Amino acid sequence: MSEQTPASEAVPSELVHLEVADRVATITLDSPHNRNALSRQLISELRIHLAAADADPSVRVVVLTSAGRVFCSGADLSEASTVPMDEGARAIVALQRQIVALSKPVVVVVAGAARAGGIGIVAAADVALVAEDATFALTEVKLGLTPAVISLTVLPRLSDRAAALTALGGEVFSGAEAASYGLVTRAVPAADLAATVEETVASLATGAPQGLRETKALLGRDLLARIDRDGEDLVALSARLFGSEEAREAMRAFLSRPKR
């Protein structure tokens, strides 16, 4: 879960960057003030760049990465009092659906930390390449919440036993463990991550546009059906829990902690 943004720390005008080169669109999360939390602005910019990459005929593969060590710290709890709870949850569902439905393969790269809602992005991607010492945690249970809307993509990736351990425990697990649980495609030593990404993306980019589009649609068909069937019910569950007094008290305590 995200930390609150200090009043003295200015929010950059652009939180997500897009660069296209050699048939690859690289989208970079760059919101250091809140550790790439899923704020309204970040989600909006990310969705705009995903749509642009999808519409660009020169792009074969989309790479989703981050600046800094934190890939995504989860929901931006500092917006909880200003953004309707169901609106925030619905935006995360829409983001996951867009990634799954994109006509081009999406490769997500995690070198550092991914928490809570950020893991939904990892799970929605087609290929997830991570450092062995990257860290993951479904922290919602610690705040009286549940990984409701991200369960749409996370649960189909995890084995049942791994889902119970990670979601009920809320503890940190490594990139290597994430690979063994089925959450990510491959975990490699941090020093090898860039080369692994380059090799994987180069291989994917050799696919013909129609082949990539139709194969991705085939692979994502069941996941899209799950999102469309259960998304709104899980939005309602998320909003109900975020609005509960237990969760509000836990979030207040979390946001009031001294920032490390």
Side-chain angles (χ1 to χ4, degrees):
M1 291 295 179
S2 166
E3 304 284 356
Q4 190 171 25
T5 304
S8 60
E9 196 167 350
V11 178
S13 59
E14 181 181 81
L15 304 182
V16 185
H17 314 305
L18 171 65
E19 180 182 355
V20 177
D22 300 325
R23 300 186 294 180
V24 178
T26 300
I27 299 175
T28 304
L29 307 183
D30 187 13
S31 181
H33 70 281
N34 64 2
R35 301 178 184 178
N36 290 330
L38 295 173
S39 64
R40 181 188 295 187
Q41 181 183 346
L42 185 139
I43 290 177
S44 175
E45 291 181 16
L46 177 52
R47 295 200 64 199
I48 289 169
H49 289 324
L50 284 167
D54 204 25
D56 187 338
S58 73
V59 171
R60 298 284 180 88
V61 183
V62 177
V63 175
L64 183 53
T65 187
S66 63
R69 286 288 296 167
V70 177
F71 173 74
C72 178
S73 58
D76 191 342
L77 299 184
S78 66
E79 289 190 348
S81 62
T82 59
V83 178
M85 294 164 194
D86 59 338
E87 179 183 316
R90 196 171 285 115
I92 294 175
V93 171
L95 173 59
Q96 292 175 102
R97 191 189 194 285
Q98 183 178 9
I99 293 170
V100 175
L102 217 71
S103 66
K104 296 157 185 181
V106 177
V107 178
V108 67
V109 181
V110 181
R115 298 289 186 268
I119 297 177
I121 296 175
V122 173
D126 303 286
V127 177
L129 302 175
V130 308
E132 289 176 342
D133 61 355
T135 62
F136 299 81
L138 294 167
T139 53
E140 291 87 348
V141 70
K142 306 291 191 181
L143 297 176
L145 304 170
T146 190
V149 294
I150 65 168
S151 72
L152 292 164
T153 56
V154 172
L155 292 186
R157 305 295 191 195
L158 293 170
S159 69
D160 289 345
R161 290 299 188 188
L165 177 65
T166 56
L168 289 172
E171 303 296 343
V172 173
F173 55 98
S174 69
E177 289 171 315
S180 72
Y181 295 160
L183 178 63
V184 306
T185 308
R186 189 178 177 192
V188 299
D192 298 335
L193 183 57
T196 300
V197 172
E198 183 177 358
E199 178 184 2
T200 302
V201 170
S203 176
L204 290 169
T206 64
Q210 178 173 276
L212 291 171
R213 181 182 68 248
E214 295 302 324
T215 303
K216 171 143 187 186
L218 179 65
L219 293 170
R221 182 172 57 188
D222 291 345
L223 195 49
L224 281 178
R226 173 186 173 88
I227 292 170
D228 291 341
R229 183 190 69 229
D230 298 335
E232 198 57 32
D233 286 344
L234 291 169
V235 165
L237 172 60
S238 180
R240 176 172 64 80
L241 293 179
F242 264 95
S244 69
E245 186 52 39
E246 180 179 331
R248 285 183 176 277
E249 182 178 343
M251 285 187 284
R252 282 194 295 268
F254 180 85
L255 290 171
S256 65
R257 297 183 312 170
K259 189 172 182 181
R260 296 188 299 272

